[in-house]
Amino acid sequence: MIDRSKVEWGLDKSVWLPRSTRSLFAFPECGTLPNGRCQVDQLGCSILTDNPSYIFKRMHNIDYLNELRTWLRQTAEVPTPQDLAGMPILIVGAGTMGAEIATLAADAGVPVGLYDTQRQAASDLAQHLARRDPECNVQFHPELADVASRPYALVIETITEQLEAKRRLLAELEQWIPKSTLLTSNTSTLPLKSLADSLTNPDRLVGMHFLLPVRDREIIEIVAPEGGSPLWVTSACQWCKQLGKLPLVVGDEIGFLVNRLLNAVLVRAVELWADGIFPVEIDRAALEFGLGFGPFIAMDHIGLDTVVRAGAVFWHKFPDQPRPSPLLPALVKRRRLGRKVDHGIYDYDQGGIRDSSRATQLEFLSTRPEILGGVCEEVNSIWQRYHSGTLRSADRAWIQSCLWTALIREAVAVCDEGYVKDARAVDSAWLFGLGISRDLGGPFQWALQEGHVDSFAWEMIPEIGPMLERLRQYAAGIMSQ
């Protein structure tokens, strides 16, 4: 907790903060101070602000974030934790996600094994990791049978999001790894039960859903399948700690929690694009208000082929949601798959975006061709094929209200369905999984503290009152337990 008694106000609207507290305003995890609200002086000794209450609100958020982290950490606490130091892990799949997980593990000092049916991809990744850090302990396996030569403690499957492909691979993996090895899948939408059915010992499979960008997201969703062994789930939680992440344990449902929320905002963003709003305008509005990603930048990063497959899974599970737009499948047919091929909704020059910060994403958007609203002629022609008229700009606050409504409505839905048992899970997914600005807090935090988000024109969301009231009821019931 921050000692507010040590905060002093100056006559020039500056705030003097003790050294231990000042650092909290500089950490990347806390975001940057919004322009026009606060500015840290060059010496970092005071904060100039025209809204003193903002400082205390920020401190309240930092307290709340630490409370959430403590709650998540408790999940991994066991009387006799495993000693995982020096124990190797095997990553199966060397695509975007596999590469990011391998990098995370290597940076954490964990020995890494790599296998992919595309041998060159796994070999290139192993060489890349070795060049980054010559002391990195990485081993490339050209054949799946080779993994039996190393006593892996954890196996993470990260191949394409296709049910039958994952089932075949997991069944084959089971033949080559010891019974004591934790077997996990990084599936982002498929229920674990549908994958575990292919195993001789189905209760050993646990979901470890890493979130992009892996380096920046604080949590890993640990999917506990119904009927699975609690010991395997606990082991997965301890591995989160070993990798420098926090575990968020969720139930075995399509999309789990973070992707349920993410899908809601991506679907709404594509709807706005289909209605004629420039993609670049939608991304700017999302980033400037506090989302950790521009929806279209995020889709390009995930891979449009993956987004299309996941979208189909969601729609079959939740047929009441809008029917998937033909825009993304049309882009996939043109092999515009996103950043991995340098062409998606946007064009990228050798990757295009050096990191995932809001500032970098906004800088990238500023370089997009204004004449077509941020997209190239090919993407514009695909839009014209399915829609009449021309793309246009729209009021930024209105775009933000559309995206925010989708997110909050989904937060209410996961509670109404009984999927979420604790309000803190939603706020953890919101802040640590989606990377939404820490300044904004989470929806349950808003519900319990009216007026918390005073920078947003809530009147642009007619149904916000009933939704916040619904969240407040859930939060009050849980917090009173």
Side-chain angles (χ1 to χ4, degrees):
M1 299 289 287
I2 298 170
D3 187 351
R4 291 165 178 73
S5 66
K6 294 182 179 178
V7 178
E8 299 178 8
W9 301 98
L11 296 177
D12 59 350
K13 291 187 178 180
S14 65
V15 185
W16 183 90
L17 300 170
R19 186 175 301 278
S20 61
T21 303
R22 288 176 214 151
S23 62
L24 292 171
F25 291 86
F27 281 171
E29 69 175 30
C30 298
T32 56
L33 297 172
N35 293 333
R37 297 292 293 275
C38 302
Q39 183 178 2
V40 181
D41 70 7
Q42 291 183 346
L43 297 178
C45 296
S46 65
I47 296 176
L48 304 178
T49 177
D50 59 2
N51 186 354
S53 66
Y54 174 76
I55 300 299
F56 284 100
K57 184 174 296 183
R58 190 176 182 82
M59 290 179 176
H60 174 83
N61 281 1
I62 293 169
D63 286 344
Y64 184 65
L65 291 170
N66 288 333
E67 289 173 8
L68 289 178
R69 292 187 183 104
T70 299
W71 174 69
L72 292 168
R73 240 176 245 116
Q74 290 171 348
T75 310
E77 292 180 357
V78 292
T80 54
Q82 294 175 273
D83 182 8
L84 301 177
M87 300 183 74
I89 69 172
L90 173 67
I91 297 168
V92 181
T96 300
M97 181 60 81
E100 293 210 18
I101 297 172
T103 302
L104 173 74
D107 289 346
V110 176
V112 176
L114 297 170
Y115 169 77
D116 196 304
T117 54
Q118 302 294 322
R119 295 181 183 177
Q120 194 61 49
S123 176
D124 289 348
L125 177 55
Q127 293 176 42
H128 168 72
L129 293 175
R131 285 194 301 270
R132 280 179 81 248
D133 180 5
E135 297 183 3
C136 171
N137 186 345
V138 58
Q139 183 173 345
F140 159 61
H141 297 288
E143 301 291 341
L144 189 58
D146 295 342
V147 306
S149 64
R150 199 175 188 187
Y152 288 107
L154 168 65
V155 173
I156 305 173
E157 170 275 307
T158 71
I159 68 168
T160 184
E161 196 73 354
Q162 294 180 346
L163 177 61
E164 289 307 317
K166 286 182 180 288
R167 284 171 58 87
R168 285 194 300 271
L169 174 62
L170 289 168
E172 192 173 356
L173 273 169
E174 189 181 30
Q175 300 175 30
W176 297 110
I177 60 176
K179 293 183 179 180
S180 59
T181 299
L182 172 61
L183 179 60
T184 70
S185 172
N186 181 61
T187 179
S188 56
T189 54
L190 301 173
L192 263 290
K193 186 179 185 302
S194 65
L195 300 176
D197 288 346
S198 66
L199 301 176
T200 304
N201 297 307
D203 66 336
R204 75 184 300 188
L205 183 65
V206 177
M208 285 189 75
H209 180 211
F210 291 77
L211 305 162
L212 290 171
V214 171
R215 180 187 63 181
D216 298 335
R217 298 296 179 250
E218 288 191 47
I219 62 172
I220 299 171
E221 280 187 308
I222 301 301
V223 186
E226 186 176 352
S229 168
L231 294 177
W232 290 119
V233 174
T234 299
S235 179
C237 290
Q238 290 183 68
W239 269 107
C240 287
K241 181 179 179 181
Q242 188 72 13
L243 294 170
K245 300 294 182 181
L246 296 168
L248 174 60
V249 180
V250 296
D252 186 18
E253 291 287 347
I254 285 176
F256 316 127
L257 180 51
V258 174
N259 273 3
R260 279 282 301 269
L261 298 171
L262 175 63
N263 180 68
V265 74
L266 297 186
V267 167
R268 190 68 181 104
V270 173
E271 282 185 312
L272 293 174
W273 184 24
D275 288 342
I277 310 300
F278 289 134
V280 72
E281 292 289 328
I282 298 168
D283 276 353
R284 280 177 183 155
L287 289 163
E288 289 178 0
F289 185 59
L291 263 69
F293 53 88
F296 295 102
I297 291 177
M299 286 186 269
D300 273 350
H301 188 79
I302 295 167
L304 296 185
D305 50 341
T306 300
V307 172
V308 168
R309 283 194 293 268
V313 172
F314 275 112
W315 189 78
H316 285 294
K317 174 65 176 179
F318 307 104
D320 291 338
Q321 73 175 24
R323 192 173 185 84
S325 166
L327 289 171
L328 298 187
L331 289 171
V332 171
K333 287 181 181 178
R334 296 280 189 94
R335 300 302 296 169
R336 298 190 67 95
L337 305 180
R339 285 174 60 181
K340 58 189 173 185
V341 296
D342 290 339
H343 305 287
I345 295 165
Y346 299 116
D347 281 331
Y348 301 85
D349 300 323
Q350 297 180 348
I353 301 180
R354 64 181 181 275
D355 61 53
S356 61
S357 69
R358 290 185 186 83
T360 299
Q361 292 182 66
L362 287 167
E363 179 185 357
F364 167 78
L365 293 172
S366 70
T367 67
R368 299 304 90 197
E370 292 294 333
I371 189 170
L372 295 175
V375 299
C376 70
E377 184 63 52
E378 183 179 19
V379 175
N380 188 57
S381 67
I382 290 173
W383 186 90
Q384 295 285 354
R385 183 191 307 169
Y386 296 101
H387 304 283
S388 59
T390 58
L391 288 165
R392 66 189 189 280
S393 296
D395 179 73
R396 200 154 295 178
W398 177 77
I399 295 174
Q400 292 168 347
S401 72
C402 291
L403 300 177
W404 232 238
T405 301
L407 274 169
I408 298 171
R409 185 182 292 120
E410 199 65 24
V412 173
V414 295
C415 294
D416 284 344
E417 295 166 12
Y419 179 65
V420 167
K421 308 300 183 184
D422 193 311
R424 291 169 293 190
V426 173
D427 280 3
S428 297
W430 188 282
L431 295 164
F432 303 142
L434 293 177
I436 291 173
S437 172
R438 277 36 168 188
D439 286 337
L440 294 175
F444 279 98
Q445 188 182 5
W446 308 340
L448 292 173
Q449 185 180 352
E450 293 188 46
H452 182 77
V453 188
D454 59 6
S455 60
F456 187 52
W458 289 114
E459 65 272 9
M460 299 193 73
I461 305 180
E463 62 265 53
I464 189 62
M467 287 195 293
L468 286 180
E469 181 56 36
R470 194 84 172 134
L471 291 175
R472 191 175 295 115
Q473 291 171 2
Y474 283 119
I478 292 169
M479 297 305 179
S480 64
Q481 294 178 3

